[in-house]
Amino acid sequence: MKPLKASLARAPIRWTHPITPSQVCVLIRAEPDIHKAILIFDSATAEYPSGYRHDLPTFTLLSSRLALSSHPRRAEQLLLRAVRELSLPIPEPALLPLLRSHARAGRPLESLRLLLHSPSLFSLQPSHRSYTLVLSSLVAGNHLSQARHLYKHMKDINIPPSVATFNALVKALCSSGSLDAAVGVFRRMTDRHCKPDACTYNTLIDGFCKSGKVGDARDIFREMQEKRCAPTVVTYCSLIHGHCLSGDPDGALELFDEMRVRGVKPNVVTYSALVDGLCKGGRVMKAVEVVEQMAVDKCKPNVITYSGLVDGLCREGRVREAMEMLDRMRIQGRKPDAGLCGKVINGLCDSGKFHEAANCLDEMVLSGVQPNRVTWSLHVRMHNVVVRGLCGESDANRAFQVYLSMRSRGINTEPETFQLLIDCLCKKDDLQRAAQLVYEMLVGGCVPDYVTWRAIVGVFWNRSRVRESAELMLDTITDRVKT
């Protein structure tokens, strides 16, 4: 809690006499600011230090508010204080917000600690609700070994698992690749007359699809329908993605048509998986049709959708269509990232369209696409390829402009790029820029090779011979005039 005197000095509260716990609870519930709610809680006992103390509902109310406001440590301290002052067990509904708060903050092991020590800390024996919540948070945090041990502990202390408990365990086993064990848990559910729900089936189907066992996933899908458990959009997304991973875009299309017939509305994840699978399966134009269908269904494509489509178009040499997709993406208010722009630029370079690639680099800069630690190597590779390509086309001026853009943003220039650009400038007799590049190359710790030195020295040499010839010609003309 905050220091009492400081809190009261900032915002003193006038209480009626006598203060009742219900009055304090009403005020705490009505106060949206958690710090002011703490002030209300503290000032009530300060007003009548010997005649009033909080009851258990007041303690649990403020504790829940603290946990929901991402203050789990303070919430735990408040519950421990309630146990000390009231000598009463803490009810489980007060523990659940605390467990959820740790889970949301990515601290499932803290939730596990509170769960296992709740009998000694709070005089509380948790039910399957608390165990299931912690089990799910352990699975979500990829603490699979601890999740399996917790499930075994539940069996040892005779806590009956619920459908949610089984679902968490199935997800843990599927995540670790133990599909046979996951199916075993799934079968035990039916043996115990615990009916699997859509989440159970979806988890198993997704596990089989990600492992490339699409046939087994289809078997579970058929069983799901036989048991009259309606497939959801998640079910179809997993199956469509599985067929695409296994190189069966036709099967993915059949499932896509089936889900629409059944009235299951595809979402952007469904479309993105299908588009990516069609592009990788060589059905790019069909993927374009699917993206057009998204507009009809009023489902906006995201970066993943466009990324798969642009990649497929570039791999088939349809760079113009890929650039049109980038333009459409910008019109829809979605900013292409470095990876997406890189695919188009690489496609342009593969097609020998280095000037258009350079223009795309300029657009990236203008739109604010800057390299980060993840995309740094991609930016370096793109820029160097474009500069080398422009040098190959003998466009020294444009190549030098791209180089200056690289230098201003700290993008590394590779030794081969330096050497090709210097050679290109020397052939254009641009000695000043070539000398500047040699200097910057040396400052950057990159020593020019023999070919580079020979090219730039040759320019100096040629200029010297021209001057000597001109002087000789001038002297000859002067002598003839005199005679």
Side-chain angles (χ1 to χ4, degrees), residues 185-196 201 223 227:
V185 172
F186 174 72
R187 298 303 173 199
R188 285 202 296 275
M189 289 179 69
T190 55
D191 293 341
R192 297 189 182 194
H193 305 291
C194 189
K195 187 179 179 181
Y201 285 108
E223 182 177 335
K227 295 294 178 64

Side-chain angles (χ1 to χ4, degrees), residues 353-421:
K353 299 176 180 178
F354 296 103
H355 285 84
E356 293 186 48
N359 293 337
C360 282
L361 288 177
D362 291 341
E363 288 180 13
M364 284 178 60
V365 176
L366 291 173
S367 60
V369 179
Q370 296 292 335
N372 54 36
R373 285 191 295 178
V374 177
T375 62
W376 179 263
S377 60
L378 175 64
H379 277 262
V380 171
R381 185 171 63 253
M382 284 190 304
H383 284 77
N384 280 275
V385 168
V386 171
V387 172
R388 291 199 289 265
L390 291 168
C391 290
E393 294 183 349
S394 299
D395 192 343
N397 287 331
R398 190 71 174 101
F400 192 75
Q401 289 173 4
V402 176
Y403 162 76
L404 291 178
S405 176
M406 293 170 63
R407 183 173 175 79
S408 66
R409 288 177 293 135
I411 297 174
N412 301 346
T413 306
E414 296 172 350
E416 181 185 354
T417 307
F418 265 125
Q419 290 159 6
L420 286 173
L421 185 53

